[in-house]
Amino acid sequence: MSLDDLYQELILEHARYPHHRGTLADPTVTLDAQNPTCGDEIHLQLKLSGDERKIEDIAFSGHGCSISQASASMMTDLVLGLSVKEALEKVQAFQDMMRTGEPREGLGDAVALAGVSRFPVRIKCALLAWMALKEALEETGAM
Amino acid sequence: MTFSAKRWREDFPILRPSAKGRWVYLDSAATTQKPEAVLRAVDDYYRRYNANVHRGVYRIAAEATERYEEARQRVARFIGGDPRGLIFTRNTSEAINLVAYAWGLDNLKEGDAILVTAAEHHSNLVPWQLVAKRTGARLRVIPLDEEGHLDLSQLPELLEGVKMVALGHASNVLGTVNPVEEVIRAAHEKGALVLLDAAQSVPRMPVDVKALDCDFLAFSGHKMLAPMGIGVLWGKPEILEKMAPFLGGGEMIGRVEWEGSTWREIPWKFEAGTPNVGGAIGLLAAVDYLEKVGMAAIARREEELGQLMARRLRELPGVVVYGPRGQRTGIVAFNVEGVHPHDVSQILDEEGVAIRAGHHCCQPLHRLLQAGSSCRASVYLYNDEEDVDRLVAAVQKVREVFRVPG
Ligand SMILES: Cc1ncc(COP(=O)(O)O)c(C=O)c1O
């Protein structure tokens, strides 16, 4: 495992020009999450459709390292348009990939992050956005 | 006489080159590596005369007690203080908490103020916040100028109503050394006591508590070649004598009755329970080693390398270096524009250069610098110019990987 795998072109692209970065005018749910050891922060916003419980829009802001920014960008691409249940399955798949290091199908660009699992201190960076999404979805589920 | 880092480096087993070449350790402000002499002293204690101290009559218990108390004498001499005021703690944080609680709870009240600086480490801030909350005292902050030096223009006003000044001696981020003599003099004129957080000064420059006239001084063994888990609080004996104990337990008592107990004399009054004997013996060996190298020589050398490191990093486009352009210690915090410190230190690690990334336990200071976090490279007596070259080359690599413009 070398640094070139960690900092693949695709990851650097997403970090440099993140997708869905910003804020929503009319979010259904807003969630702030932090990684207290390094101070990384994410503010995640979701707009859910009334009855179908689909993610109609998504945006994130905050600051963090290239891995956390790229991961958030890839995640927002992936879950836009999915139902709450489908999105939660994606979160689970991503968590599994971080744990095992095995690339998972159906994760879109985020599969490029499989190698992060071999840099234990960086796993938390990659997971930050996904944990925020999980918490946000669970919060809306309870509503 | 030139300072031979190469020669000292040979005493540090962990720094020996591996098959992959020489590894460059630039994180000594977090903790230093340990020389053979310290490793041997600790090993010798555990192999040959491990026994609990005080009250043991048998031969090795007497030897352990003797060495533990010798460590107290030796470390007190190292900082120019009365050994009766030298209390062994776990680290700087515990030493500061001891004063905050044992002195603060009995001497602070509503309307009193505690004065700190804007560059304080959380260890010299949070204990005071906790005690302020319990006593109704308030925290006041000495501001910094643009270079990171203390702005003392308002000092007389800031000192009004202050009972304790808790002051970092050398910054763990900015590389500054504060003009503590001036603050101590002004504080004493107003009847306030002064605690120096010397975690970053005692390891890298001569410090003499008598000359400084500080009331308390706190530092950690692990940042000056000794093992982790041993630290020091030094206090003026006449002040310590009037303070209530911090922790209760064995070793610190005179006579124990159901109705209450009396305390042993200082410093033992403040050392409840079995102390870290091996750690104290390691600190003794560390102090011997540091004096062999020479504290004045270490300070000069650090300043040279600190200046060089700051200058070379500033020359790179897209790199900001925090702290003063003039005199500084060998602790240099910086950022590479557009690249998060975690990513910088990851790439540096791949290049065999170990630095720290984060807020370095100084969140308020980083807010002031308008940086969420920073990279920090810090040298010690085993570093040299070649290490600075390696750092600069590795930062160049970061700029290439992340295509930092310029
Ligand atoms: C200025 C300063 N104060 C206090 C501390 C805390 O030291 P320790 O963690 O050993 O208690 C440190 C080191 O991290 C420091 O740099």
Coordinates of all heavy atoms in Angstrom, one line a residue, chain B residues 140 152-162 190:
Chain B
R140 N -9.0 36.1 32.9 CA -8.7 37.2 32.0 C -7.5 36.8 31.2 O -6.7 36.0 31.6 CB -8.3 38.4 32.9 CG -8.8 39.7 32.4 CD -8.5 40.8 33.4 NE -9.5 41.0 34.5 CZ -9.2 41.6 35.6 NH1 -8.0 42.0 35.9 NH2 -10.2 41.7 36.5
L152 N 1.9 43.5 26.3 CA 1.9 43.8 27.8 C 1.5 45.3 28.0 O 1.7 45.8 29.1 CB 3.3 43.5 28.4 CG 3.6 42.0 28.4 CD1 5.0 41.8 29.0 CD2 2.6 41.1 29.2
S153 N 1.1 46.0 26.9 CA 0.8 47.4 27.1 C -0.3 47.7 28.2 O -0.3 48.7 28.8 CB 0.4 48.0 25.8 OG -0.7 47.3 25.2
Q154 N -1.2 46.7 28.3 CA -2.3 46.9 29.3 C -2.1 46.1 30.6 O -3.0 46.0 31.4 CB -3.6 46.5 28.7 CG -3.9 47.0 27.3 CD -4.2 48.5 27.4 OE1 -4.9 49.0 28.3 NE2 -3.6 49.3 26.4
L155 N -0.8 45.7 30.8 CA -0.6 44.7 31.9 C -1.1 45.3 33.3 O -1.8 44.6 34.0 CB 0.9 44.3 32.0 CG 1.2 43.2 33.0 CD1 0.4 41.9 32.7 CD2 2.7 42.9 33.1
P156 N -0.7 46.5 33.6 CA -1.2 47.0 34.9 C -2.7 46.9 35.1 O -3.2 46.5 36.2 CB -0.7 48.5 35.0 CG 0.4 48.5 34.0 CD 0.1 47.5 32.9
E157 N -3.5 47.3 34.1 CA -4.9 47.2 34.2 C -5.4 45.8 34.3 O -6.3 45.4 35.0 CB -5.6 47.9 32.9 CG -5.4 49.4 32.9 CD -4.1 49.8 32.2 OE1 -3.2 49.0 32.1 OE2 -4.0 51.0 31.8
L158 N -4.7 44.9 33.4 CA -5.1 43.5 33.4 C -4.9 42.8 34.8 O -5.5 41.9 35.2 CB -4.3 42.7 32.4 CG -4.8 42.9 30.9 CD1 -3.8 42.3 29.9 CD2 -6.2 42.3 30.7
L159 N -3.9 43.4 35.5 CA -3.6 42.7 36.8 C -4.5 43.1 38.0 O -4.4 42.6 39.1 CB -2.1 43.1 37.2 CG -1.0 42.2 36.5 CD1 0.4 42.8 36.8 CD2 -1.1 40.8 37.1
E160 N -5.3 44.1 37.8 CA -6.3 44.6 38.8 C -7.1 43.4 39.3 O -7.8 42.8 38.5 CB -7.2 45.7 38.3 CG -6.5 47.1 38.2 CD -5.8 47.5 39.5 OE1 -6.3 47.2 40.6 OE2 -4.7 48.1 39.4
G161 N -7.1 43.1 40.6 CA -7.9 42.1 41.2 C -7.4 40.6 40.9 O -8.1 39.7 41.2
V162 N -6.2 40.5 40.3 CA -5.7 39.2 39.9 C -5.1 38.6 41.1 O -4.2 39.2 41.8 CB -4.8 39.3 38.7 CG1 -4.0 38.0 38.5 CG2 -5.5 39.6 37.4
K190 N 1.5 43.6 42.6 CA 0.1 43.7 42.9 C -0.4 42.6 43.8 O -1.6 42.4 44.0 CB -0.7 43.5 41.5 CG -0.4 44.6 40.5 CD -1.4 45.7 40.6 CE -1.1 46.8 39.5 NZ -2.1 47.8 39.5

